[in-house]
Short mmCIF file of all heavy atoms in Angstrom, two decimals:
data_model
loop_
_atom_site.label_atom_id
_atom_site.label_comp_id
_atom_site.label_asym_id
_atom_site.label_seq_id
_atom_site.Cartn_x
_atom_site.Cartn_y
_atom_site.Cartn_z
N THR P 136 1.97 -4.80 -7.45
CA THR P 136 1.40 -4.02 -8.55
C THR P 136 0.96 -4.91 -9.70
O THR P 136 0.23 -4.47 -10.57
CB THR P 136 2.40 -2.98 -9.07
OG1 THR P 136 3.60 -3.66 -9.50
CG2 THR P 136 2.76 -1.98 -7.98
N ASP P 137 1.45 -6.16 -9.69
CA ASP P 137 1.07 -7.12 -10.72
C ASP P 137 1.05 -8.50 -10.07
O ASP P 137 2.09 -9.01 -9.65
CB ASP P 137 2.09 -7.07 -11.87
CG ASP P 137 1.72 -7.98 -13.03
OD1 ASP P 137 1.42 -9.17 -12.80
OD2 ASP P 137 1.73 -7.50 -14.18
N ARG P 138 -0.15 -9.11 -10.00
CA ARG P 138 -0.26 -10.40 -9.31
C ARG P 138 0.49 -11.51 -10.03
O ARG P 138 1.07 -12.39 -9.39
CB ARG P 138 -1.74 -10.78 -9.17
CG ARG P 138 -2.44 -10.08 -8.03
CD ARG P 138 -3.82 -10.64 -7.85
NE ARG P 138 -4.51 -10.03 -6.72
CZ ARG P 138 -5.76 -10.30 -6.39
NH1 ARG P 138 -6.47 -11.15 -7.12
NH2 ARG P 138 -6.30 -9.71 -5.34
N ASP P 139 0.45 -11.51 -11.36
CA ASP P 139 1.11 -12.58 -12.10
C ASP P 139 2.62 -12.53 -11.93
O ASP P 139 3.28 -13.55 -11.71
CB ASP P 139 0.74 -12.49 -13.59
CG ASP P 139 -0.74 -12.76 -13.84
OD1 ASP P 139 -1.34 -13.52 -13.04
OD2 ASP P 139 -1.29 -12.22 -14.81
N LYS P 140 3.18 -11.31 -12.01
CA LYS P 140 4.63 -11.16 -11.88
C LYS P 140 5.06 -10.95 -10.43
O LYS P 140 6.26 -10.94 -10.14
CB LYS P 140 5.09 -9.98 -12.74
CG LYS P 140 4.85 -10.18 -14.23
CD LYS P 140 5.31 -8.96 -15.02
CE LYS P 140 5.03 -9.15 -16.52
NZ LYS P 140 5.44 -7.96 -17.30
N ARG P 141 4.09 -10.73 -9.55
CA ARG P 141 4.36 -10.53 -8.12
C ARG P 141 5.34 -9.38 -7.89
O ARG P 141 6.27 -9.47 -7.07
CB ARG P 141 4.86 -11.82 -7.47
CG ARG P 141 3.91 -12.98 -7.74
CD ARG P 141 4.16 -14.22 -6.93
NE ARG P 141 3.21 -15.26 -7.35
CZ ARG P 141 2.89 -16.34 -6.66
NH1 ARG P 141 3.45 -16.56 -5.50
NH2 ARG P 141 2.01 -17.21 -7.10
N ILE P 142 5.12 -8.28 -8.60
CA ILE P 142 5.99 -7.11 -8.45
C ILE P 142 5.65 -6.40 -7.14
O ILE P 142 4.50 -6.04 -6.91
CB ILE P 142 5.80 -6.15 -9.64
CG1 ILE P 142 6.18 -6.85 -10.95
CG2 ILE P 142 6.62 -4.87 -9.44
CD1 ILE P 142 5.84 -6.05 -12.18
N PRO P 143 6.63 -6.20 -6.26
CA PRO P 143 6.34 -5.58 -4.95
C PRO P 143 5.77 -4.17 -5.09
O PRO P 143 6.31 -3.35 -5.85
CB PRO P 143 7.71 -5.56 -4.26
CG PRO P 143 8.52 -6.58 -4.97
CD PRO P 143 8.05 -6.58 -6.39
N ALA P 144 4.69 -3.89 -4.37
CA ALA P 144 4.07 -2.56 -4.37
C ALA P 144 4.62 -1.77 -3.19
O ALA P 144 3.90 -1.49 -2.21
CB ALA P 144 2.56 -2.68 -4.30
N THR P 145 5.89 -1.38 -3.27
CA THR P 145 6.56 -0.72 -2.16
C THR P 145 5.97 0.66 -1.89
O THR P 145 5.61 0.99 -0.75
CB THR P 145 8.06 -0.61 -2.45
OG1 THR P 145 8.59 -1.93 -2.64
CG2 THR P 145 8.78 0.04 -1.29
N ALA P 146 5.87 1.48 -2.92
CA ALA P 146 5.33 2.84 -2.74
C ALA P 146 3.88 2.80 -2.29
O ALA P 146 3.46 3.59 -1.44
CB ALA P 146 5.46 3.62 -4.05
N GLU P 147 3.13 1.85 -2.84
CA GLU P 147 1.72 1.74 -2.49
C GLU P 147 1.54 1.29 -1.05
O GLU P 147 0.60 1.73 -0.36
CB GLU P 147 1.01 0.78 -3.45
CG GLU P 147 0.89 1.29 -4.87
CD GLU P 147 2.18 1.20 -5.68
OE1 GLU P 147 3.16 0.57 -5.20
OE2 GLU P 147 2.22 1.74 -6.80
N ALA P 148 2.42 0.42 -0.56
CA ALA P 148 2.34 -0.01 0.84
C ALA P 148 2.54 1.17 1.78
O ALA P 148 1.86 1.29 2.81
CB ALA P 148 3.38 -1.10 1.11
N LEU P 149 3.49 2.04 1.44
CA LEU P 149 3.71 3.23 2.25
C LEU P 149 2.48 4.14 2.22
O LEU P 149 2.10 4.72 3.25
CB LEU P 149 4.93 3.99 1.75
CG LEU P 149 5.29 5.28 2.48
CD1 LEU P 149 5.53 5.02 3.96
CD2 LEU P 149 6.51 5.95 1.84
N GLN P 150 1.84 4.25 1.06
CA GLN P 150 0.61 5.04 0.97
C GLN P 150 -0.47 4.48 1.88
O GLN P 150 -1.16 5.23 2.58
CB GLN P 150 0.10 5.06 -0.48
CG GLN P 150 0.88 5.91 -1.44
CD GLN P 150 0.25 5.89 -2.82
OE1 GLN P 150 -0.93 6.19 -2.97
NE2 GLN P 150 1.02 5.51 -3.82
N VAL P 151 -0.63 3.16 1.86
CA VAL P 151 -1.64 2.52 2.71
C VAL P 151 -1.35 2.81 4.18
O VAL P 151 -2.25 3.20 4.94
CB VAL P 151 -1.69 1.00 2.45
CG1 VAL P 151 -2.57 0.30 3.49
CG2 VAL P 151 -2.20 0.71 1.04
N LYS P 152 -0.11 2.64 4.58
CA LYS P 152 0.28 2.90 5.97
C LYS P 152 -0.04 4.33 6.37
O LYS P 152 -0.59 4.59 7.45
CB LYS P 152 1.78 2.61 6.14
CG LYS P 152 2.35 3.00 7.49
CD LYS P 152 3.85 2.78 7.51
CE LYS P 152 4.49 3.38 8.76
NZ LYS P 152 5.96 3.20 8.79
N THR P 153 0.29 5.29 5.50
CA THR P 153 0.07 6.71 5.80
C THR P 153 -1.42 7.04 5.85
O THR P 153 -1.88 7.77 6.74
CB THR P 153 0.78 7.58 4.76
OG1 THR P 153 2.17 7.25 4.74
CG2 THR P 153 0.62 9.05 5.09
N LYS P 154 -2.18 6.53 4.90
CA LYS P 154 -3.62 6.79 4.88
C LYS P 154 -4.32 6.18 6.09
O LYS P 154 -5.27 6.76 6.63
CB LYS P 154 -4.23 6.25 3.59
CG LYS P 154 -3.91 7.09 2.35
CD LYS P 154 -4.48 6.47 1.10
CE LYS P 154 -4.24 7.36 -0.12
NZ LYS P 154 -5.06 8.60 -0.06
N LEU P 155 -3.86 5.02 6.54
CA LEU P 155 -4.44 4.43 7.75
C LEU P 155 -4.15 5.28 8.98
O LEU P 155 -5.00 5.45 9.85
CB LEU P 155 -3.90 3.00 7.95
CG LEU P 155 -4.44 1.95 7.00
CD1 LEU P 155 -3.69 0.63 7.20
CD2 LEU P 155 -5.94 1.72 7.20
N LYS P 156 -2.95 5.83 9.02
CA LYS P 156 -2.61 6.72 10.13
C LYS P 156 -3.56 7.92 10.16
O LYS P 156 -4.02 8.35 11.23
CB LYS P 156 -1.17 7.21 10.00
CG LYS P 156 -0.77 8.25 11.04
CD LYS P 156 0.29 9.16 10.47
CE LYS P 156 0.44 10.39 11.32
NZ LYS P 156 1.22 11.45 10.66
N ASP P 157 -3.89 8.46 9.00
CA ASP P 157 -4.83 9.58 8.92
C ASP P 157 -6.23 9.18 9.39
O ASP P 157 -7.03 10.04 9.75
CB ASP P 157 -4.89 10.11 7.49
CG ASP P 157 -3.58 10.75 7.04
OD1 ASP P 157 -2.77 11.12 7.92
OD2 ASP P 157 -3.36 10.87 5.82
N ARG P 158 -6.49 7.88 9.39
CA ARG P 158 -7.77 7.36 9.87
C ARG P 158 -7.64 6.80 11.30
O ARG P 158 -8.48 6.04 11.75
CB ARG P 158 -8.26 6.27 8.92
CG ARG P 158 -8.69 6.78 7.55
CD ARG P 158 -8.75 5.64 6.54
NE ARG P 158 -9.31 6.11 5.26
CZ ARG P 158 -10.55 5.87 4.85
NH1 ARG P 158 -11.38 5.17 5.63
NH2 ARG P 158 -10.97 6.33 3.69
N TYR P 159 -6.53 7.12 11.95
CA TYR P 159 -6.31 6.76 13.35
C TYR P 159 -6.14 5.25 13.55
O TYR P 159 -6.62 4.65 14.51
CB TYR P 159 -7.44 7.32 14.24
CG TYR P 159 -7.54 8.82 14.10
CD1 TYR P 159 -8.42 9.38 13.19
CD2 TYR P 159 -6.70 9.66 14.82
CE1 TYR P 159 -8.47 10.76 13.00
CE2 TYR P 159 -6.75 11.03 14.64
CZ TYR P 159 -7.64 11.58 13.73
OH TYR P 159 -7.68 12.94 13.54
N ILE P 160 -5.36 4.67 12.65
CA ILE P 160 -4.99 3.25 12.72
C ILE P 160 -3.49 3.15 12.49
O ILE P 160 -2.96 3.72 11.53
CB ILE P 160 -5.74 2.41 11.67
CG1 ILE P 160 -7.24 2.42 11.95
CG2 ILE P 160 -5.22 0.98 11.64
CD1 ILE P 160 -8.07 1.81 10.83
#
């Protein structure tokens, strides 16, 4: 969520995974 601080985007990663599934990936 922040490149300088390298804060893990945990919730966003789950969103990406779920949205890709909806696109058949």
